[in-house]
Amino acid sequence: MQISLNGRVALVTGASRGIGLAIARQFAESGAKVMMVSRKIDESVLVDFPEGAQVAVRAVNVGDLGVAREVVAETIARFGRLDILVNNAATNPYYGATMGVDESRYDKTMQVNLKAPVFWTQAVWDSAMKDSPGVVVNISSVGGLRAGGGLGVYNVTKAALIHLTRQLAGELGPTRVVGIAPGLVKTDFAGYLVENFGEQIAKTVPTKRLGEPEDIANLATFLVSDAASWITGETYVIDGGAGVGGAG
Ligand SMILES: NC(=O)c1ccc[n+]([C@@H]2O[C@H](COP(=O)([O-])OP(=O)(O)OC[C@H]3O[C@@H](n4cnc5c(N)ncnc54)[C@H](OP(=O)(O)O)[C@@H]3O)[C@@H](O)[C@H]2O)c1
């Protein structure tokens, strides 16, 4: 199956590194035009993109909700349309018992990880997908599926995103809304775990390795393509088999 995103225009948040950068690059390699958003981003991130790729970068904080409509308008003005939104940007300013969190870090986590996906989707819906159905991808986490560890507040946002994906699939259809719930992927976000426990954890995963950003980009590219045109409302776990256990 050859996947082509020719003629499609995508907006990817959190695209300066890690999973978001890999998704943006693979979309561009598949023929899409891409608007890439992060707080700090410039054209140096485009170094591995295909020559002639039609890509733009914009430095914004997705938590500044008002800016969503500006970026959507800019994307449509530049590329003529908007077919795909990837809500990928996320933050985790607090690690520890949920009862120990202070209000400001709680609010920041909710703002970036949950509120931003709602209002960025609303901006894209109002300006583009209401009249021309597209695809929204929400990047969740396996942490949104089960309790545990010191990531309780972050995981609440990821669990809510899984439900938001179901809810919006019903409301926005035929625009498709899909989710991806990665396990441990080698990015800055998971840097501490990967550096200190990565090898140990990899041994317990059936595929015997941690995730690479490209693993997640492969799934995202499939999900936004026409090959996935009957898929909506679901969130797909991609974790090298970690969740099924049984591998030592
Ligand atoms: N890595 C994992 O093991 C793992 C596992 C499960 C789920 N995830 C999810 O995967 C997604 C991507 O994470 P990652 O691992 O690729 O992390 P990463 O390498 O730290 O990248 C995060 C990206 O989000 C951007 N970002 C952060 N806060 C932002 C804000 N307020 N506004 C705009 N952009 C913002 C960052 O750029 P700036 O700093 O320039 O803003 C960066 O581009 C997240 O939703 C994360 O929850 C990751």
Side-chain angles (χ1 to χ4, degrees), residues 219-243:
L219 179 56
T221 304
F222 165 70
L223 285 173
V224 303
S225 77
D226 288 344
S229 63
W230 210 44
I231 294 178
T232 193
E234 298 292 346
T235 292
Y236 292 88
V237 170
I238 173 166
D239 66 351

Short mmCIF file of all heavy atoms in Angstrom, two decimals, residues 219-243:
data_model
loop_
_atom_site.label_atom_id
_atom_site.label_comp_id
_atom_site.label_asym_id
_atom_site.label_seq_id
_atom_site.Cartn_x
_atom_site.Cartn_y
_atom_site.Cartn_z
N LEU A 219 2.37 5.52 12.02
CA LEU A 219 0.95 5.30 12.34
C LEU A 219 0.13 6.55 12.01
O LEU A 219 -0.97 6.46 11.46
CB LEU A 219 0.81 4.93 13.83
CG LEU A 219 -0.61 4.68 14.34
CD1 LEU A 219 -1.34 3.61 13.51
CD2 LEU A 219 -0.58 4.28 15.82
N ALA A 220 0.68 7.71 12.35
CA ALA A 220 -0.06 8.97 12.07
C ALA A 220 -0.29 9.13 10.57
O ALA A 220 -1.38 9.53 10.14
CB ALA A 220 0.72 10.16 12.63
N THR A 221 0.72 8.80 9.78
CA THR A 221 0.59 8.97 8.32
C THR A 221 -0.49 8.04 7.77
O THR A 221 -1.31 8.43 6.93
CB THR A 221 1.95 8.72 7.64
OG1 THR A 221 2.91 9.60 8.23
CG2 THR A 221 1.89 8.97 6.15
N PHE A 222 -0.51 6.81 8.27
CA PHE A 222 -1.58 5.88 7.86
C PHE A 222 -2.95 6.44 8.27
O PHE A 222 -3.88 6.48 7.47
CB PHE A 222 -1.35 4.50 8.49
CG PHE A 222 -2.57 3.62 8.43
CD1 PHE A 222 -3.02 3.10 7.22
CD2 PHE A 222 -3.30 3.34 9.58
CE1 PHE A 222 -4.17 2.32 7.15
CE2 PHE A 222 -4.45 2.56 9.52
CZ PHE A 222 -4.89 2.04 8.31
N LEU A 223 -3.05 6.88 9.53
CA LEU A 223 -4.37 7.29 10.05
C LEU A 223 -4.94 8.51 9.33
O LEU A 223 -6.16 8.65 9.23
CB LEU A 223 -4.28 7.55 11.56
CG LEU A 223 -4.21 6.30 12.44
CD1 LEU A 223 -3.96 6.69 13.90
CD2 LEU A 223 -5.47 5.45 12.33
N VAL A 224 -4.08 9.41 8.86
CA VAL A 224 -4.63 10.59 8.16
C VAL A 224 -4.87 10.31 6.68
O VAL A 224 -5.49 11.13 5.99
CB VAL A 224 -3.72 11.85 8.30
CG1 VAL A 224 -3.51 12.18 9.78
CG2 VAL A 224 -2.39 11.69 7.57
N SER A 225 -4.40 9.16 6.20
CA SER A 225 -4.51 8.88 4.76
C SER A 225 -5.88 8.29 4.42
O SER A 225 -6.62 7.85 5.30
CB SER A 225 -3.41 7.91 4.34
OG SER A 225 -3.76 6.58 4.75
N ASP A 226 -6.16 8.21 3.12
CA ASP A 226 -7.42 7.61 2.67
C ASP A 226 -7.49 6.12 2.99
O ASP A 226 -8.58 5.55 3.03
CB ASP A 226 -7.59 7.83 1.16
CG ASP A 226 -7.89 9.28 0.86
OD1 ASP A 226 -8.26 10.03 1.80
OD2 ASP A 226 -7.74 9.69 -0.31
N ALA A 227 -6.34 5.50 3.22
CA ALA A 227 -6.34 4.07 3.58
C ALA A 227 -7.06 3.84 4.90
O ALA A 227 -7.48 2.73 5.21
CB ALA A 227 -4.90 3.55 3.67
N ALA A 228 -7.21 4.89 5.71
CA ALA A 228 -7.87 4.78 7.02
C ALA A 228 -9.24 5.46 7.01
O ALA A 228 -9.74 5.87 8.05
CB ALA A 228 -6.98 5.39 8.09
N SER A 229 -9.86 5.56 5.82
CA SER A 229 -11.06 6.41 5.70
C SER A 229 -12.27 5.89 6.47
O SER A 229 -13.26 6.61 6.61
CB SER A 229 -11.41 6.64 4.23
OG SER A 229 -11.74 5.40 3.65
N TRP A 230 -12.21 4.64 6.97
CA TRP A 230 -13.35 4.13 7.76
C TRP A 230 -13.01 4.06 9.24
O TRP A 230 -13.66 3.39 10.03
CB TRP A 230 -13.80 2.74 7.24
CG TRP A 230 -15.26 2.50 7.45
CD1 TRP A 230 -16.28 3.38 7.23
CD2 TRP A 230 -15.87 1.31 7.96
NE1 TRP A 230 -17.48 2.81 7.56
CE2 TRP A 230 -17.26 1.53 8.00
CE3 TRP A 230 -15.36 0.07 8.36
CZ2 TRP A 230 -18.16 0.56 8.44
CZ3 TRP A 230 -16.27 -0.89 8.79
CH2 TRP A 230 -17.65 -0.65 8.84
N ILE A 231 -11.94 4.75 9.62
CA ILE A 231 -11.50 4.74 11.03
C ILE A 231 -11.76 6.11 11.64
O ILE A 231 -11.27 7.13 11.13
CB ILE A 231 -9.99 4.43 11.11
CG1 ILE A 231 -9.71 3.01 10.64
CG2 ILE A 231 -9.48 4.63 12.53
CD1 ILE A 231 -8.23 2.63 10.64
N THR A 232 -12.52 6.11 12.71
CA THR A 232 -12.67 7.35 13.48
C THR A 232 -13.08 7.04 14.92
O THR A 232 -13.63 5.97 15.20
CB THR A 232 -13.69 8.32 12.82
OG1 THR A 232 -13.56 9.61 13.43
CG2 THR A 232 -15.12 7.84 12.95
N GLY A 233 -12.76 7.96 15.82
CA GLY A 233 -13.20 7.85 17.21
C GLY A 233 -12.33 6.98 18.10
O GLY A 233 -12.46 7.02 19.32
N GLU A 234 -11.43 6.22 17.49
CA GLU A 234 -10.60 5.29 18.27
C GLU A 234 -9.21 5.87 18.51
O GLU A 234 -8.69 6.65 17.72
CB GLU A 234 -10.45 3.95 17.53
CG GLU A 234 -11.75 3.22 17.30
CD GLU A 234 -12.39 2.71 18.59
OE1 GLU A 234 -11.69 2.68 19.64
OE2 GLU A 234 -13.57 2.34 18.55
N THR A 235 -8.61 5.41 19.62
CA THR A 235 -7.22 5.76 19.93
C THR A 235 -6.40 4.48 19.88
O THR A 235 -6.77 3.47 20.49
CB THR A 235 -7.15 6.41 21.33
OG1 THR A 235 -7.80 7.68 21.27
CG2 THR A 235 -5.70 6.62 21.78
N TYR A 236 -5.32 4.52 19.13
CA TYR A 236 -4.51 3.33 18.88
C TYR A 236 -3.25 3.32 19.74
O TYR A 236 -2.45 4.26 19.71
CB TYR A 236 -4.15 3.25 17.39
CG TYR A 236 -5.40 2.98 16.60
CD1 TYR A 236 -6.19 4.03 16.15
CD2 TYR A 236 -5.86 1.69 16.41
CE1 TYR A 236 -7.39 3.81 15.51
CE2 TYR A 236 -7.07 1.45 15.78
CZ TYR A 236 -7.82 2.50 15.33
OH TYR A 236 -9.02 2.26 14.71
N VAL A 237 -3.10 2.25 20.50
CA VAL A 237 -1.90 2.06 21.32
C VAL A 237 -0.75 1.63 20.40
O VAL A 237 -0.92 0.75 19.55
CB VAL A 237 -2.14 0.97 22.39
CG1 VAL A 237 -0.84 0.58 23.07
CG2 VAL A 237 -3.16 1.46 23.41
N ILE A 238 0.41 2.25 20.59
CA ILE A 238 1.61 1.83 19.86
C ILE A 238 2.76 1.87 20.86
O ILE A 238 3.24 2.94 21.24
CB ILE A 238 1.84 2.69 18.59
CG1 ILE A 238 3.19 2.35 17.97
CG2 ILE A 238 1.68 4.18 18.84
CD1 ILE A 238 3.37 2.87 16.54
N ASP A 239 3.13 0.68 21.34
CA ASP A 239 4.06 0.61 22.48
C ASP A 239 5.03 -0.57 22.40
O ASP A 239 5.58 -0.98 23.42
CB ASP A 239 3.25 0.53 23.79
CG ASP A 239 2.46 -0.77 23.91
OD1 ASP A 239 2.42 -1.52 22.91
OD2 ASP A 239 1.92 -1.03 24.99
N GLY A 240 5.20 -1.11 21.20
CA GLY A 240 6.13 -2.24 21.06
C GLY A 240 5.65 -3.49 21.76
O GLY A 240 6.39 -4.45 21.92
N GLY A 241 4.39 -3.47 22.18
CA GLY A 241 3.82 -4.63 22.87
C GLY A 241 3.93 -4.53 24.39
O GLY A 241 3.54 -5.47 25.10
N ALA A 242 4.45 -3.43 24.90
CA ALA A 242 4.66 -3.31 26.35
C ALA A 242 3.39 -3.61 27.14
O ALA A 242 3.44 -4.25 28.19
CB ALA A 242 5.17 -1.90 26.69
N GLY A 243 2.26 -3.18 26.63
CA GLY A 243 1.00 -3.32 27.36
C GLY A 243 0.52 -4.76 27.49
O GLY A 243 -0.24 -5.06 28.40
#
